[in-house]
Amino acid sequence: MKVVFIGDIVGQVGRDTVKRLLPWLKDRYQPHIVIANGENAAGGRGINAAITRELFAAGVQGITMGNHTWDNREIFDFIDDEARMIRPANLPPGTPGRGYTIIKSGSRELGIVNLIGRTFLPPSDCPFRKADEIIDELRRKTKCILVDFHAEATSEKIAMGWHLDGRASVVLGTHTHVQTNDDRILPEGTAYVTDAGMTGPRDGVLGMERESVIRKFITGMPARFQVAETKWHLNGLFVDIDEATGKAVSVRTIRVDEDSWIPA
Ligand SMILES: [Fe+2]
Ligand SMILES: [Fe+2]
């Protein structure tokens, strides 16, 4: 099973990038399933119903979230009914939405789990224990499982990769918006990357308009950041999973920008 994961989609530039590149990504990687992180899809802060529909219409089949899940209040209107939207699983019991699901594409099934880290992020339940619980449950239904671990600290993400090696097909990090150069298959067959990177404005600061971020660093004064309007880049991960074993057979980061992209 070939899977393409698109890193944090930031604002309209990010959404337009996904729409522009999906036909090319499909042609190049022949994915059976496309998953994207959408926590910054609406102006950098959360997601709404129209944008969710827009991403599904573009060919995304599942959307994972993160610390910005609740930034756009519209999500409360539809998250309980949208089975393809996955928010961090280790939020307190009773939180709206779901933290894992199975995405079906033809005869193929991919379990998707979203977890959030506890280092340099607001308090949450233990992502490691929650991962154990969910993966036990999912593995009764499918061996193919992708975990989006939305976390700040590289150490926490690397630890999760090792913790789930051989039990998840893919453990990929999101949240930092900066792609790391450590994609590999761990010894027991889990494809791993510390961060898949972001999709959206290339020349801002993590997707936001750079002047206001620089000003905030210099002055220390509060500021409200807007999504940058610059050239785009798309960052993500391609993984090929052996469906018989659930182990990854190949993994490679995807990194394209406006200057390097040559349309098919
Ligand atoms: Fe993000
Ligand atoms: Fe985040």
Side-chain angles (χ1 to χ4, degrees):
M1 183 193 306
K2 296 183 173 72
V3 180
V4 163
F5 181 90
I6 298 170
D8 301 37
I9 299 166
V10 181
Q12 187 170 355
V13 177
R15 280 147 32 215
D16 289 347
T17 302
V18 170
K19 283 185 271 184
R20 187 181 299 114
L21 261 66
L22 257 174
W24 176 85
L25 287 167
K26 286 187 170 175
D27 187 58
R28 170 148 183 189
Y29 295 101
Q30 306 281 317
H32 300 103
I33 296 188
V34 177
I35 307 294
N37 184 293
E39 69 148 7
N40 310 110
R45 290 177 275 269
I47 198 164
N48 62 28
I51 289 171
T52 301
R53 282 195 298 272
E54 184 185 334
L55 293 175
F56 287 142
V60 171
Q61 287 149 286
I63 299 175
T64 54
M65 297 294 286
N67 54 308
H68 291 291
T69 304
W70 314 118
D71 285 5
N72 188 308
R73 295 183 55 79
E74 236 190 76
I75 197 169
F76 295 111
D77 299 339
F78 65 91
I79 193 167
D80 282 329
D81 302 319
E82 181 45 79
R84 297 166 294 174
M85 170 80 67
I86 309 110
R87 48 85 178 148
N90 51 321
L91 299 178
T95 299
R98 73 217 72 220
Y100 62 99
T101 196
I102 292 179
I103 301 288
K104 294 187 171 73
S105 181
S107 60
R108 295 180 170 82
E109 293 190 332
L110 179 66
I112 310 284
V113 186
N114 191 197
L115 295 163
I116 193 161
R118 295 199 291 188
T119 308
F120 312 128
L121 279 168
S124 63
D125 292 347
C126 177
F128 293 87
R129 289 191 188 92
K130 186 52 86 175
D132 293 344
E133 221 178 280
I134 293 172
I135 283 170
D136 279 355
E137 162 98 29
L138 276 176
R139 280 181 69 89
R140 283 182 226 129
K141 296 169 191 145
T142 176
K143 287 184 175 132
C144 301
I145 297 170
L146 179 149
V147 176
D148 170 357
F149 188 27
H150 196 83
E152 182 76 42
T154 49
S155 57
E156 195 176 10
K157 292 195 258 194
I158 293 168
M160 184 65 82
W162 288 116
H163 184 63
L164 298 180
D165 185 21
R167 295 190 287 150
S169 312
V170 191
V171 174
L172 59 85
T174 56
H175 177 69
T176 70
H177 291 201
V178 179
Q179 187 178 85
T180 55
N181 189 24
D182 60 345
D183 51 306
R184 61 178 287 199
I185 297 176
L186 299 174
E188 301 301 324
T190 296
Y192 175 81
V193 71
T194 297
D195 208 292
M198 63 158 278
T199 298
R202 184 191 68 182
D203 299 330
V205 177
L206 311 183
M208 305 315 268
E209 196 243 333
R210 62 180 187 251
E211 285 77 11
S212 48
V213 179
I214 295 168
R215 199 178 315 121
K216 185 177 181 192
F217 274 114
I218 292 174
T219 65
M221 296 304 288
R224 190 165 169 86
F225 303 141
Q226 302 297 326
V227 173
E229 286 180 29
T230 75
K231 288 187 175 183
W232 53 261
H233 64 165
L234 179 143
N235 289 279
L237 193 72
F238 166 78
V239 190
D240 192 0
I241 303 166
D242 178 346
E243 284 164 78
T245 61
K247 292 182 191 298
V249 290
S250 75
V251 62
R252 131 174 53 126
T253 50
I254 301 169
R255 184 177 178 193
V256 198
D257 76 10
E258 192 165 340
D259 294 328
S260 66
W261 183 53
I262 300 162

